[in-house]
Amino acid sequence: MRAVWLNGFGGPEQLVSGEAPEPVAGPGQALVEVAFVNITFVETQFRATGAGPYRPELPMIPGNGVGGVVSAVGTGVDPALVGRRVVSSTGGSGGYAERASVDAAGLFPVPDGLALDDAVALLADGRTATWLVRSAGLVGGERVLVEAAAGGVGSLLVQLAKAAGATVVAAAGGPYKMGLTRDLGADVAVDYREPDWTDRVRGAVGGVDVVFDGVGGDLARAAFELLDRGGRMLSFGLASGEWADISEETAQRRGVQALRPAMNPTQLRGFTESALAEAAAGRLRPTIGQRFPLERAADAHAVIESRAGFGKTLLEVR
């Protein structure tokens, strides 16, 4: 079958298209005919440095999120799954390929009325955004700042926070991305590349009650200063390459909370199902900004790292 191999850690050129052995559905597994692959920023970091939650040996087929149709199941798995549209994590490897064997217990059936590519785009980002909004305990009328609001998670946070009754401030890079966040429901959009962006936020809404921080670094530290007493900052990513690094003592002195919440496996499943159901009902819309054929996985990684793209980046396998 066709696949993309990671031969060494480094630049996107380390991702090379080639052939791979056909996977089979072992006990407790399902074989998925992959149509779309979800690429996350964490995968680009792993490719570049080897750092991350995965520890496979090289060469390897990367990819942790896939969507397609179940074509076979192993022993102990309900044969009624064959023919079902599903999305699933792979456990960290094997996703950049025409077929993938996955743990059948980790499959998520795609609800009727939801396009498969939208479901794949929601697999990681949808559960993350849903979990963050629940963890923040948003109440109507609060002011929420979403960093990188035109990104995969950010674009969903804008919608979910707005649906919760918040006044949403979207921080995005450039006029096009700012316009996108307004289309998604943001009340205020600012360009975080401008040196006075925090002044613009204060001029529009005063301070904020919640910051969703997926960037870290200087941007997150500036956003932290916008929090009013009683506010919460939830950090879930480090697109800048570093966490905000705000000490508990600093947060206490300001009368705010700097949180890095964790999601357990039960919550992961529940939040994924919730995101898929909301999208099927038309209340949540993933933004798919870039699509690349499987063989161009290296180009997809390069776009993500350059910050030139927006929304979610998918690989199309067939």
Side-chain angles (χ1 to χ4, degrees):
M1 68 173 180
R2 292 180 299 135
V4 172
W5 291 89
L6 176 64
N7 293 318
F9 298 120
E13 70 279 358
Q14 295 292 340
L15 294 169
V16 179
S17 179
E19 296 294 315
E22 292 279 353
V24 297
Q29 291 185 321
L31 183 65
V32 177
E33 300 289 325
V34 178
F36 300 98
V37 183
N38 160 41
I39 301 181
T40 65
F41 183 72
V42 170
E43 290 174 14
T44 68
Q45 293 178 304
F46 173 72
R47 185 220 71 235
T49 66
Y54 320 123
R55 289 291 182 271
E57 294 183 5
L58 298 180
M60 62 167 286
I61 300 171
N64 188 48
V66 299
V69 175
V70 176
S71 59
V73 295
T75 57
V77 180
D78 185 357
L81 283 171
V82 175
R84 293 292 303 273
R85 296 188 310 149
V86 297
V87 292
S88 178
S89 297
T90 66
S93 63
Y96 294 8
E98 288 187 287
R99 283 170 283 281
S101 292
V102 300
D103 182 355
L107 293 175
F108 294 92
V110 176
D112 293 340
L114 180 61
L116 184 56
D117 53 352
D118 284 344
V120 175
L122 286 165
L123 178 59
D125 293 350
R127 66 186 174 220
T128 298
T130 304
W131 156 65
L132 287 165
V133 168
R134 301 276 182 86
S135 298
L138 283 184
V139 298
E142 288 194 304
R143 300 153 298 169
V144 173
L145 173 64
V146 180
E147 299 172 6
V153 176
S155 60
L156 298 173
L157 284 170
V158 168
Q159 297 173 66
L160 291 171
K162 189 64 181 176
T167 296
V168 179
V169 180
Y176 181 82
K177 293 182 180 180
M178 291 166 64
L180 172 64
T181 66
R182 293 191 189 98
D183 291 342
L184 293 172
D187 299 283
V188 178
V190 297
D191 189 341
Y192 60 67
R193 301 179 304 182
E194 299 294 333
D196 64 343
W197 74 269
T198 54
D199 294 334
R200 294 174 184 265
V201 174
R202 288 200 180 279
V205 298
V208 298
D209 302 294
V210 175
V211 171
F212 290 121
D213 165 36
V215 177
D218 291 340
L219 178 66
R221 286 187 282 270
F224 175 80
E225 295 300 324
L226 290 168
L227 284 170
D228 281 346
R229 181 166 290 275
R232 295 92 72 199
M233 181 172 187
L234 289 84
S235 295
F236 62 95
L238 60 165
S240 67
E242 61 172 336
W243 293 105
D245 195 26
I246 296 166
S247 69
E248 185 176 343
E249 293 77 11
T250 299
Q252 288 179 344
R253 198 160 50 243
R254 289 275 316 282
V256 301
Q257 294 177 285
L259 307 170
R260 206 182 296 174
M263 189 181 346
N264 63 45
T266 300
Q267 291 174 318
L268 184 150
R269 183 159 196 94
F271 290 139
T272 304
E273 292 172 340
S274 175
L276 293 173
E278 288 296 292
R283 293 188 291 267
L284 187 63
R285 176 166 57 94
T287 300
I288 301 174
Q290 299 75 227
R291 301 168 185 263
F292 292 87
L294 176 66
E295 291 79 6
R296 292 180 57 199
D299 293 335
H301 274 233
V303 165
I304 292 173
E305 290 180 319
S306 72
R307 309 292 196 272
F310 63 94
K312 195 67 198 171
T313 301
L314 298 183
L315 296 180
E316 295 186 335
V317 181
R318 56 175 55 84

